[in-house]
Amino acid sequence: MPRIAAVSAAIEKMRAEGLPDIAVETFAHYEDLLQRGDQGLLPESEIEPVDDLPDASQFPESSGSALDQAVVLKLNGGLGTSMGMTRAKSLIEVKDGLSFLDVIVRQVLHLRERSGARIPLLLMNSFATRDDTLAALSAYPDLAVDDLPLDFVQGKVPKLRADDLSPVSWPDDPTLEWAPPGHGDVYTSLLVSGMLDELLERGYRYLFLSNSDNLGAALDPRILDWFAEQELPFVSESTDRTESDRKGGHLVRRRSDGRLVLRETAQIADEDQAAFEDVSRHRFFNANNIWVDLTALRSLLAERDGVLGLPMIVNRKTVDPTDSSSTEVVQLETAMGAAIGVFPGASAIRVPRTRFAPVKTTNQLLVVRSDAYSLADDWTVRAEADPIPVVELDSSYYKLLDDFEARFAGGPPALRDCRRLSVGGDVSFGRDVAVRGSVALEGPLSVPDGSVLEG
């Protein structure tokens, strides 16, 4: 059983909300670190670069022997608030009239049909995404297997005032007093939901975990075979880091014990920023595609009384993210990839860039919708452009999904032969527009149907 957390106002608030003891204990662990002045930083002086990783492209063809013990889990708690959405981000149309969720389901169903393996699809929803998501999944009556539920719900933690670290009060909208504890919460939520025990009891052992907005992250049987044969507890996929990844999380090795660890932007002090962004020094970008041995996860959670103790991330925001003048708060979070540092014997592999195609902004959404990517017969997303074009849309006109859709009402332009598209001001695109090379546009402007833009 977990220890009893020291009483604080935030702990009392969680208990009053009826949250599970292990979730409360996990938050208490991070609250205690914060109260003692820990800011979750990982100095450059305490790490060293990772020079080489096993290359997944060299793995042999799969025998399929481990597929019947495999589970696909997608993190689906995001609302797409950065795009002005109030529903599950995975319900956005992403390719050929299909949503992220449609493509994910079809990937899994195709793999089942091809292999004959059962392969459940699970979603970790938030309270805000669950209803819309389950309603959308009703279109796939054959999706559920072994009477397993299709989802479980991630936890929530109190937002703390930045001035005194007490739980913030926001009577205008009390739901804003709570925050998701980052995607590192997936391990705690698997445990407290009962899903971890249920999967193991039904003979599932290998979990493939990724974000629902990354359609490049389909279960690869070759990686699964290697993971099972190596008898590893945890493997993180990384890809070669480029200049566009300078701000993103990457793998490093901790000097104190030689373990691989994940370092995120929020863990960097100002004096280490240049080294953090040096892509020649830190070569491997975290793709956030994770392989977990569920037996190893259950054992580690048992050893640690349910509290994995992942590195803390302190996010500084306002209680109402749409109002920069609202009370300043801190949100205590963890990253799922950071578990590489707590599993003894954890490893990482190098994967091709095609396994990392996330959509965090409308810039990336435009690229994925365009002919720079295609949907293959197995429903995986394939890059058709090399390199993938860089798109920069004026956030004043394109950041919100409705505004973006209105300016591309005739569909995305062809970007397969584009290197860079920069749009400043209010520009609307007609049908069948093609962009080649590097192009910069300044609005107000309406691009006629059939235009070919070359820079």
Side-chain angles (χ1 to χ4, degrees):
M1 292 295 293
R3 66 194 185 285
I4 302 301
V7 175
S8 71
I11 295 302
E12 290 180 339
K13 183 170 184 172
M14 293 184 75
R15 288 180 173 156
E17 192 74 5
L19 297 176
D21 285 346
I22 289 174
V24 175
E25 292 293 336
T26 299
F27 175 81
H29 168 78
Y30 297 109
E31 185 189 32
D32 180 60
L33 291 178
L34 185 69
Q35 294 282 1
R36 289 193 278 117
D38 191 328
Q39 294 299 308
L41 299 181
L42 185 56
E44 187 76 17
S45 60
E46 295 181 7
I47 59 91
E48 55 189 25
V50 175
D51 294 325
D52 195 28
L53 292 173
D55 194 330
S57 66
Q58 304 301 315
F59 294 169
E61 287 302 310
S62 170
S63 67
S65 59
L67 274 172
D68 215 41
Q69 299 178 71
V71 180
V72 174
L73 173 55
K74 297 289 183 177
L75 303 187
N76 194 57
L79 283 175
T81 51
S82 63
M83 300 186 199
M85 292 182 62
T86 57
R87 62 181 187 142
K89 179 181 174 184
S90 61
L91 301 182
I92 297 175
E93 180 186 332
V94 65
K95 195 72 184 168
D96 300 346
L98 301 173
S99 69
F100 289 96
L101 193 61
D102 288 322
V103 176
I104 289 166
V105 171
R106 292 172 190 220
Q107 287 176 352
V108 172
L109 292 178
H110 176 84
L111 187 54
R112 277 189 204 167
E113 182 179 358
R114 192 181 77 195
S115 67
R118 45 189 180 168
I119 314 175
L121 172 65
L122 295 176
L123 302 174
M124 184 173 80
N125 280 314
S126 65
F127 290 103
T129 62
R130 187 178 206 190
D131 290 346
D132 284 347
T133 297
L134 293 181
L137 289 179
S138 65
Y140 299 95
D142 298 330
L143 182 60
V145 295
D146 277 355
D147 294 324
L148 285 168
L150 294 174
D151 80 326
F152 58 96
V153 178
Q154 73 180 116
K156 61 180 182 178
V157 295
K159 297 177 183 178
L160 305 178
R161 291 179 60 99
D163 53 4
D164 63 5
L165 303 184
S166 65
V168 72
S169 175
W170 201 248
D172 289 348
D173 185 355
T175 63
L176 293 178
E177 298 173 7
W178 299 89
H183 42 61
D185 176 64
V186 64
Y187 310 110
T188 303
S189 292
L190 273 168
L191 178 64
V192 300
S193 68
M195 185 62 72
L196 176 57
D197 286 338
E198 189 166 359
L199 290 172
L200 285 166
E201 287 167 7
R202 293 175 184 270
Y204 297 102
R205 180 172 178 180
Y206 305 113
L207 181 73
F208 176 59
L209 172 61
S210 60
N211 290 316
S212 63
D213 65 5
N214 178 14
L215 295 181
L219 188 154
D220 185 330
R222 296 184 308 158
I223 298 176
L224 172 62
D225 279 5
W226 177 86
F227 178 58
E229 289 165 4
Q230 297 292 314
E231 298 184 342
L232 295 167
F234 183 100
V235 166
S236 175
E237 294 186 18
S238 290
T239 191
D240 291 349
R241 203 165 172 226
T242 69
E243 284 297 321
S244 64
D245 308 318
R246 289 185 305 114
K247 303 288 187 181
H250 54 259
L251 280 183
V252 296
R253 194 174 297 278
R254 193 162 51 203
R255 291 183 186 273
S256 61
D257 58 10
R259 285 192 181 182
L260 293 171
V261 293
L262 172 64
R263 191 166 63 154
E264 301 274 11
T265 305
Q267 296 172 289
I268 301 305
D270 291 344
E271 61 268 24
D272 288 335
Q273 195 66 44
F276 178 86
E277 295 182 10
D278 186 345
V279 300
S280 62
R281 175 174 171 78
H282 298 295
R283 295 175 45 206
F284 296 110
F285 182 77
N286 174 45
N288 227 27
N289 305 336
I290 305 296
W291 299 82
V292 183
D293 183 324
L294 295 176
T295 59
L297 174 60
R298 184 162 66 178
S299 295
L300 189 60
L301 284 165
E303 288 172 15
R304 297 183 171 217
D305 290 335
V307 180
L308 278 185
L310 304 181
M312 177 174 67
I313 297 172
V314 180
N315 264 336
R316 300 184 179 276
K317 300 190 176 185
T318 54
V319 63
D320 183 348
T322 67
D323 181 1
S324 60
S325 67
S326 61
T327 305
E328 293 183 355
V329 297
V330 294
Q331 297 177 195
L332 303 185
E333 302 178 8
T334 58
M336 67 179 182
I340 195 171
V342 301
F343 277 88
S347 186
I349 56 173
R350 177 176 180 247
V351 297
R353 191 74 183 195
T354 51
R355 290 187 62 77
F356 182 69
V359 176
K360 306 297 183 187
T361 65
T362 53
N363 297 344
Q364 294 166 326
L365 180 62
L366 183 67
V367 176
V368 175
R369 280 186 178 179
S370 79
D371 62 347
Y373 285 93
S374 65
L375 274 179
D377 291 341
D378 60 0
W379 300 100
T380 56
V381 174
R382 305 286 175 87
E384 299 293 343
D386 185 19
I388 296 298
V390 175
V391 170
E392 297 173 336
L393 304 174
D394 190 327
S395 61
S396 298
Y397 297 93
Y398 297 91
K399 179 179 180 179
L400 303 182
L401 187 63
D402 287 348
D403 295 339
F404 167 86
E405 299 280 19
R407 288 166 175 79
F408 293 100
L415 298 177
R416 184 171 180 171
D417 298 317
C418 171
R419 296 298 297 269
R420 179 179 292 270
L421 171 63
S422 300
V423 179
D426 188 359
V427 179
S428 295
F429 288 73
R431 294 182 181 277
D432 301 320
V433 173
V435 183
R436 298 172 182 167
S438 295
V439 172
L441 301 175
E442 287 293 330
L445 179 67
S446 181
V447 180
D449 293 350
S451 296
V452 177
L453 308 177
E454 295 189 78

